[in-house]
Amino acid sequence: MLFDPAYLRDRIRTVPDWPEPGVQFRDITPLLQDPKSLRVLVEHFVFRYMDQKIDLVAGIDARGFIIGSILAHQLGLGFVPIRKKGKLPFTTIAEEYELEYGSATVEVHADACKQGDRVLLIDDLIATGGTMMAGRKLLERLGATVVEGCAIVDLPELGGSQLLRDSGLPLFTLVDFAGH
Ligand code: AMP
C-alpha cells in the first residue's frame, strides 16, 4: 500500500437504511469530492496496474464508470461501460444474476472487446459479488480474459470477494467494512 487505507476509509460515508432498511450504504461521493483523496485513490490503482499487460478497462454501472474511466485514461487505455439493462444503444449481450430479492441484468456492447483482450474490471464495491461475476462473464463471452477485478470497497462478510476469488478471479480492493 502506498498510503494507509484508513485515509480513504475515513472519507467514505456510511448512510444507514438506504436505499432500504437494513442496508448500510457506503457512499464514496465524499472520497471523490475531495481532490486529495481522489488523487490518492487513483494513484493506488495506477501504481498497481501501470506495469501490467492490460488492453482495456471495463467499468460497472454507475460508480465503476467514474473511477474506471479516470484509471483508463491514466493508464493510456480505452474504457468500456458495462451497463444496466436497456441503456446501451447498439447490439448487446446480457447476463442476468440473482439479487437478495429478485434479479438484475447487465449488458455490454457486442463489439466492446475482442478475442484475447486482457481486461481490467472495476466497480466501486463488492457485496455479494454477483454484479462483478456477471460483468466478468460478459467479457469472457466476448473472448476476453479478465486479468483482475478491482474495487474500492469490500464487504467481506457478504462473501462476494471470497466467491470471486474461489472462482479463479484475482481481486484487489482497498478498504474493508464489516457488516452489510
Ligand atoms: P453485489 O453484486 O452484491 O456485489 O453488489 C455490488 C454492487 O451494488 C456495486 O455496483 C455497488 O455499487 C452496489 N452496492 C451493493 N451494496 C452496497 C452498499 N452497501 N453500499 C454501496 N453500494 C452497494
Side-chain angles (χ1 to χ4, degrees):
M1 286 285 165
L2 289 171
F3 298 88
D4 182 352
Y7 185 82
L8 299 177
R9 196 175 199 283
D10 291 349
R11 284 158 185 80
I12 296 170
R13 172 166 55 200
T14 297
V15 182
D17 299 318
W18 199 88
E20 52 191 68
V23 175
Q24 303 258 77
F25 193 84
R26 310 299 177 171
D27 174 19
I28 62 163
T29 60
L31 181 63
L32 300 176
Q33 191 174 335
D34 175 56
K36 206 163 162 183
S37 59
L38 178 61
R39 185 171 289 268
V40 167
L41 173 68
V42 172
E43 296 303 350
H44 265 95
F45 287 121
V46 171
F47 185 78
R48 181 171 179 86
Y49 295 114
M50 64 186 298
D51 300 326
Q52 296 199 27
K53 194 185 164 323
I54 297 169
D55 298 305
L56 207 59
V57 177
I60 299 178
D61 203 342
R63 288 175 292 274
F65 296 170
I66 301 168
I67 186 70
S69 49
I70 300 174
L71 180 60
H73 181 74
Q74 289 291 318
L75 295 173
L77 301 172
F79 176 81
V80 160
I82 293 177
R83 296 218 63 180
K84 289 172 185 153
K85 188 183 169 79
K87 301 288 186 186
L88 288 170
F90 182 60
T91 311
T92 57
I93 59 166
E95 274 289 331
E96 191 177 343
Y97 61 101
E98 298 307 313
L99 299 173
E100 198 174 350
Y101 304 103
S103 65
T105 301
V106 283
E107 297 180 335
V108 72
H109 275 150
D111 63 354
C113 56
K114 57 185 191 312
Q115 189 76 32
D117 276 348
R118 293 172 57 81
V119 181
L120 175 66
L121 180 57
I122 186 162
D123 200 359
D124 67 324
L125 179 144
I126 313 278
T128 67
T131 311
M132 188 160 283
M133 190 73 92
R136 173 198 185 185
K137 282 185 189 160
L138 286 176
L139 297 166
E140 288 180 349
R141 280 170 58 192
L142 295 177
T145 298
V146 179
V147 292
E148 190 155 273
C150 64
I152 305 166
V153 179
D154 181 23
L155 306 182
E157 285 173 33
L158 294 187
S161 49
Q162 194 57 49
L163 197 83
L164 290 163
R165 288 192 176 102
D166 289 349
S167 78
L169 181 71
L171 201 62
F172 177 66
T173 59
L174 297 172
V175 177
D176 283 0
F177 282 97
H180 289 213

